Every structure is written in C-alpha cells, then in structure tokens.
Amino acid sequence: NSLVYKKDSLSGKKSKVIHDDIHLPFIDQDTTDRNRTAPIAFTGNKFEFRSPGGSQSISLPLVFLNTLTAYGLDIMLNELEKSKRTKKQLTESVWRLVRESVKKIKRIRYEGNAYSQHWLDLSKQRKLEDLKDPCIACNYLTDENTFNLVEQFKVFSKEELYSLQEIKFEMYYRKIITQANLMLDMIKTGVYPALVKQANLEQNINRGICSRERYEKLFKFTEILLINVDRLELTVNKISQYDSIIKKAKFASQEIRPEMEKLREVADQVEVLVDAEIWPFPRYRDLFLTHSY
C-alpha cells in the first residue's frame, strides 16, 4: 500500500488516501485513534495488535494470525490462478473475491467499542464464542481444525501443539496458585490486622457514644473476611489432589479463581471502612488521584 494525496473537487482540500495498486478504489486514511477500543486497530496506514495483555508475549498470537492470513491469501491466490489472465477478467475475479470475502467475514466485523456490553450482546447473536476462561481457550490448541491449519503450512506438528498446550496449562495454574498465596499473605498480615485495629479504635474512642452500629459492621466484616480466607486456603490446598496438569489448570480456573474474587470483594468493602493511616496498602484514590507524571 502507498499513501497519496487526493484533491476534493468541491472544496479543493487535499486529503491522504491509501492506494493499493490492484484495481481497488482510493480509501480515505483514518485519522482517529482506535487503540483503546479496538483489539486490532487500524491507525492510518498500519494495523496495531492491541489484544495481548501487558505481561503477555505477542509471538504466539502472531504466529496463528500470520498462519490464518497465509491460509486466506492461499485460497484467494488459488482462485485467481483459475481465472484467465486478461486484465479485464483478472479485475473481475479480484472484485468477485472481494465481495465473497466481505460476505464471509461479516459476522466477525465490528467497528464500535469492542469492550462494550453492546458488542458482547451482539457477538452472542452472531454465535461468536467469548473465551474468557484461559483453559477453554487452550483447548482449541489441539482442536482438529487447528491441527489441519498448522500442518498444512508446516508451522507446528501435533506433538508440538500438545506440548505447547501442556506448557500453557502449567504456567496458568502455577500463576494462579502464586497469586492466591500472595493474596492470602496480604490479607492475613495486612488487611486483617488493619481491620482489627480500626475496630478497637472505634470501640475505644466512641465508648458511650451511639456507634454500636458501626462497630458491629466492622466486627461482621472481620468475620466474613476470615471465613473467606479459610475457604480460599482450603481450596488452594485441594489442588495437590490432582496429578494431571490439565486437571490442575481447570481446578485453578473453576475453583480457586472464584474464591479469590469473593475474598477480593470483601477486602474492597473493608478498605473504605479503615482509616488511611492504618490501611497497609495504597488505596484506590492514592493510585488514581495522587500519581504524579
């Protein structure tokens, strides 16, 4: 593709357009910033791959995206090679392929906010899968369609895909266990002591004053916090019962993560009840409002 300037016949203004040199019309260059709402953003004359998380390597996703691109181009090339080589017939074949391709990919195309509820609802209507669970997503590494695709272009063998899947499962469950143990340590040595201090402070300062309701609220949250700590600790210890890496990963996803989310929810509620001088960690408002650039 190349960038050229086009002059508007009415206003006389010049604008940047993208020209592809293969019989397709000029396309106005997009000047908007879609980086925040598009997983693969088209910014001017290039695509930016924004889907992976900050700690994730883009190498593996790019391997599969490039393989899929090669698959699509291979289909198009085979179709064009069947057509006769006159310029007119080649142009007609190109346009026919463009029309067919647009129809085929219409179900996955969306130009709005890809993180909005509207897209989630629309994707369900279009019968697109929302693979939020990493374990379910990793299962597609050994799907028959994946085998056929990567073997066709000699990217991976079946054995390599199975090895890759096992590595991903192991990395996942080990990371979840590490995070769960860190969470337990933060709650036991930070949040719980702070909550107890706050409860004692309330009891001592407001003795004789009508503050029974607040003190009971703090006591209630202390009880709920400890119950959730025990539940998470028991759940983490249960993972040793499984000898399969895949089973451990699924247990971490389906059992440990939900318990972590419940404990996190309690800790977030406790945070707004404890004095800032007592709270042991940076509070949300500290992170969002006092960060200097």
Side-chain angles (χ1 to χ4, degrees):
N1 292 342
S2 59
L3 281 174
V4 297
Y5 287 90
K6 180 183 70 173
K7 188 175 182 180
D8 190 278
S9 58
L10 296 177
S11 64
K13 293 182 179 179
K14 289 184 178 180
S15 61
K16 286 183 180 180
V17 295
I18 300 170
H19 184 47
D20 52 29
D21 300 322
I22 57 166
H23 315 293
L24 296 180
F26 287 93
I27 303 171
D28 287 337
Q29 184 186 11
D30 191 359
T31 57
T32 60
D33 183 3
R34 289 293 315 285
N35 294 345
R36 304 300 178 205
T37 61
I40 301 179
F42 181 67
T43 56
N45 62 343
K46 65 184 184 303
F47 287 95
E48 293 185 1
F49 187 35
R50 294 285 178 140
S51 296
S55 62
Q56 183 181 0
S57 170
I58 67 168
S59 58
L60 185 62
L62 280 180
V63 166
F64 284 100
L65 281 176
N66 288 336
T67 305
L68 286 167
T69 302
Y71 172 74
L73 292 175
D74 186 61
I75 292 175
M76 290 183 173
L77 180 61
N78 290 334
E79 287 295 319
L80 289 176
E81 286 180 342
K82 294 176 184 177
S83 62
K84 295 183 179 180
R85 286 299 180 179
T86 67
K87 186 175 181 180
K88 182 179 178 181
Q89 290 172 329
L90 183 60
T91 302
E92 288 175 352
S93 297
V94 169
W95 276 108
R96 177 175 52 80
L97 274 174
V98 169
R99 284 193 298 269
E100 290 176 355
S101 299
V102 168
K103 289 178 182 178
K104 287 180 180 178
I105 67 171
K106 187 177 181 180
R107 190 165 64 104
I108 65 171
R109 290 181 64 242
Y110 180 70
E111 296 181 3
N113 183 351
Y115 301 101
S116 66
Q117 186 61 42
H118 176 260
W119 169 237
L120 291 176
D121 297 337
L122 189 61
S123 62
K124 288 180 182 177
Q125 294 177 17
R126 296 181 179 183
K127 297 181 180 179
L128 299 173
E129 293 190 70
D130 183 16
L131 302 176
K132 292 182 179 180
D133 189 331
C135 291
I136 296 176
C138 279
N139 285 332
Y140 282 88
L141 283 171
T142 52
D143 184 79
E144 193 63 34
N145 290 325
T146 309
F147 284 146
N148 295 335
L149 177 68
V150 297
E151 285 190 326
Q152 177 182 345
F153 293 94
K154 296 180 173 59
V155 179
F156 291 118
S157 65
K158 283 189 178 183
E159 291 76 14
E160 287 172 329
L161 279 181
Y162 274 114
S163 297
L164 180 61
Q165 184 187 58
E166 188 166 316
I167 290 169
K168 291 294 181 183
F169 278 134
E170 184 172 10
M171 288 174 61
Y172 175 74
Y173 91 78
R174 288 187 181 276
K175 185 176 288 187
I176 293 296
I177 290 176
T178 301
Q179 292 173 350
N181 286 326
L182 176 60
M183 187 180 206
L184 288 167
D185 183 62
M186 291 175 70
I187 297 292
K188 289 178 180 179
T189 63
V191 176
Y192 172 66
L195 187 54
V196 172
K197 284 181 183 179
Q198 184 67 32
N200 291 332
L201 184 68
E202 296 277 345
Q203 188 180 36
N204 293 331
I205 292 177
N206 299 312
R207 186 167 295 174
I209 304 175
C210 186
S211 61
R212 185 70 182 173
E213 184 179 338
R214 179 173 170 82
Y215 177 75
E216 287 180 352
K217 188 176 184 180
L218 288 166
F219 182 80
K220 178 184 176 183
F221 270 111
T222 304
E223 191 176 26
I224 295 172
L225 188 74
L226 291 176
I227 289 171
N228 280 275
V229 165
D230 290 341
R231 288 177 60 177
L232 177 57
E233 206 161 27
L234 286 170
T235 307
V236 170
N237 291 333
K238 284 181 182 178
I239 201 168
S240 59
Q241 299 174 2
Y242 299 95
D243 54 358
S244 164
I245 289 177
I246 295 178
K247 288 180 180 178
K248 286 183 177 181
K250 289 181 178 178
F251 183 81
S253 174
Q254 297 169 6
E255 302 295 334
I256 297 178
R257 277 189 64 183
E259 291 298 334
M260 291 173 67
E261 289 168 4
K262 291 175 185 175
L263 183 54
R264 168 65 184 273
E265 186 179 345
V266 178
D268 286 346
Q269 291 176 296
V270 168
E271 180 180 332
V272 299
L273 299 175
V274 177
D275 189 287
E277 296 297 324
I278 299 175
W279 190 254
F281 309 113
R283 301 162 76 91
Y284 279 118
R285 65 168 175 262
D286 298 330
L287 296 172
F288 290 129
L289 302 178
T290 63
H291 183 74
S292 58
Y293 294 91

